[in-house]
Amino acid sequence: MKIAIGCDHAGYDLKQEIIANLQAENYTLVDCGTFSCNAVDYPDIAAEVASVVLEQKIPGIIICGTGVGISIAANKIRGIRAALCDNCYTARMSREHNDANVIALGARVIGPGLAVEVIKTFLSTSFAAGRHLGRVEKICQLESASYKEE
Ligand code: RB5
């Protein structure tokens, strides 16, 4: 499975740990940066990861200090449903119920061991559709309506 990943400076160390862990399990990572601990702006990284997710139709992982800023930024991009997760239950539900295509993590909130488990749960869970489909469609309608207003 191919996955896009990106982080700001606060998430750099965690990103490197996640890449090493997932590569060891034969996942292919598209690394959208950042590539050092030098300060960058998390909206720029959110945009990079989102474009790969949408173009290649693959899941994405985004990381900043709390996961909040980068998830807010990613969720401004049409077609992105980013879920900020710090536990496996939320990660599973974000896929089953919300069809999230991006997982956001806070590097100052979660340790690498749990982060990898949460990501694996996210990647191995499918959208349940059924009664959840119409709700996700309503999210898409909200998105379309807000773009039309501009
Ligand atoms: C960077 O210091 C920090 O503000 C950023 O990583 C993130 O936590 C913002 O939401």
Side-chain angles (χ1 to χ4, degrees), residues 8-11 40 42 63-70 108:
D8 74 354
H9 51 289
V40 293
Y42 56 79
I63 311 159
C64 69
T66 58
V68 174
I70 204 160
R108 295 170 179 162

Side-chain angles (χ1 to χ4, degrees), residues 9-93:
H9 51 289
Y12 176 72
D13 289 340
L14 181 59
K15 173 171 70 76
Q16 299 314 110
E17 295 224 33
I18 290 168
I19 290 174
N21 271 277
L22 293 183
Q23 279 178 340
E25 301 207 19
N26 292 320
Y27 289 96
T28 302
L29 281 300
V30 182
D31 191 350
C32 301
T34 189
F35 299 103
S36 77
C37 289
N38 295 335
V40 293
D41 298 330
Y42 56 79
D44 298 334
I45 303 296
E48 286 290 330
V49 173
S51 73
V52 175
V53 166
L54 295 171
E55 276 165 26
Q56 300 195 28
K57 296 188 184 8
I58 58 175
I61 302 168
I62 51 177
I63 311 159
C64 69
T66 58
V68 174
I70 204 160
S71 58
I72 291 174
N75 278 319
K76 299 293 178 196
I77 298 163
R78 190 180 211 165
I80 295 297
R81 288 181 298 283
L84 175 53
C85 298
D86 63 8
N87 65 80
C88 292
Y89 178 78
T90 306
R92 183 159 65 82
M93 287 300 136

